[in-house]
Amino acid sequence: MTVVITGASRGIGRALLDLYAKEGARVIGTTRGVPEGDQWRRLDVADPASAKALAPTLQGHAVELLVCNAGVYLDRSEQLEEGYAPALWEEAFAVNVTGVFLTVQALLPALARAKLPRIAIIASQMGSSTRAKGGSYIYRASKAAAVNLGRNLAHDLAPRGIAVGIYHPGWVRTDMGGTNADLSVQNAALGLKARFDALSLETTGAFETWDGRDHPY
């Protein structure tokens, strides 16, 4: 089994990489930094050329699971009156939305070679229209777009036998989530892995929490 995880150098991505590696899967983690060893590939998800360059490095292997985990949260402290510069919108959407699409697009041939191909998109409950609590407009909008993207990919890829799941990872103690968050990285990764393992064409397009609850869109 080959698993590709974007944004795997730290946080949830790294924890997922370690979990799959312990189970004996062939795991490829991507990083924007310098790759170290055969387990790593360089990928800037916001760069179309970087996404296209990823597929050939897999050397023709089938990819059973693609985890689109790379993401940014750039507007945590922005103020409505004078913040949220256009450049922040551009960067966040380039990573959180366009980056997901470009990665999926680049790896479609590798996914098509697998018997049970799956795509897992790490979104957020902050992208749900039912949790419109204000603030963080860029992050919320980008994650809402990621949820929508996942739903539409699920529709279009189902005839090809590729299942797509969308997931809220919980509030996790990472650089993004902060030290006051509810969940450890390890518990979040364990829950997410269980969701990925259960993903099928019967559940494709679902938006779920890390612990298996349906999340409203």
Side-chain angles (χ1 to χ4, degrees):
M1 177 180 181
T2 297
V3 180
V4 176
I5 304 171
T6 68
S9 61
R10 58 184 179 177
I12 296 171
R14 183 55 187 261
L16 286 167
L17 182 143
D18 292 341
L19 278 177
Y20 279 105
K22 286 179 181 178
E23 287 196 350
R26 179 177 184 262
V27 190
I28 301 297
T30 76
T31 174
R32 286 187 296 179
V34 178
E36 297 182 4
D38 293 338
Q39 194 175 35
W40 295 93
R41 302 288 189 276
R42 187 184 182 282
L43 174 64
D44 180 350
V45 297
D47 178 1
S50 183
K52 286 183 179 180
L54 175 63
T57 71
L58 301 179
Q59 300 176 329
H61 284 277
V63 172
E64 281 78 12
L65 175 63
L66 168 61
V67 182
C68 296
N69 169 73
V72 293
Y73 185 176
L74 305 176
D75 59 325
R76 189 190 310 272
S77 59
E78 294 293 300
Q79 300 299 313
L80 178 59
E81 291 78 7
E82 56 190 23
Y84 301 99
L88 294 180
W89 288 89
E90 182 178 357
E91 182 178 352
F93 271 76
V95 174
N96 295 350
V97 187
T98 310
V100 172
F101 180 80
L102 292 175
T103 304
V104 170
Q105 188 178 51
L107 295 190
L108 274 178
L111 288 159
R113 288 192 287 269
K115 290 183 178 179
L116 297 171
R118 291 160 289 150
I119 298 168
I121 297 173
I122 304 301
S124 170
Q125 66 181 9
M126 290 176 69
S128 170
S129 61
T130 65
R131 291 185 61 88
K133 295 186 176 182
S136 298
Y137 301 111
I138 298 173
Y139 185 74
R140 290 181 187 278
S142 69
K143 288 301 183 179
V147 172
N148 184 276
L149 173 62
R151 293 277 289 170
N152 282 284
L153 284 171
H155 178 274
D156 287 344
L157 295 179
R160 306 189 193 189
I162 302 174
V164 181
I166 310 146
Y167 303 95
H168 166 56
W171 185 21
V172 187
R173 291 190 290 275
T174 61
D175 290 345
M176 184 182 293
T179 57
N180 294 323
D182 297 330
L183 281 173
S184 69
V185 171
Q186 291 73 24
N187 284 341
L190 282 168
L192 287 169
K193 183 178 179 300
R195 306 284 76 72
F196 305 162
D197 292 346
L199 176 61
S200 69
L201 289 175
E202 285 68 38
T203 59
T204 192
F207 183 19
E208 297 179 328
T209 64
W210 67 278
D211 54 354
R213 291 171 290 125
D214 290 336
H215 200 294
Y217 299 103

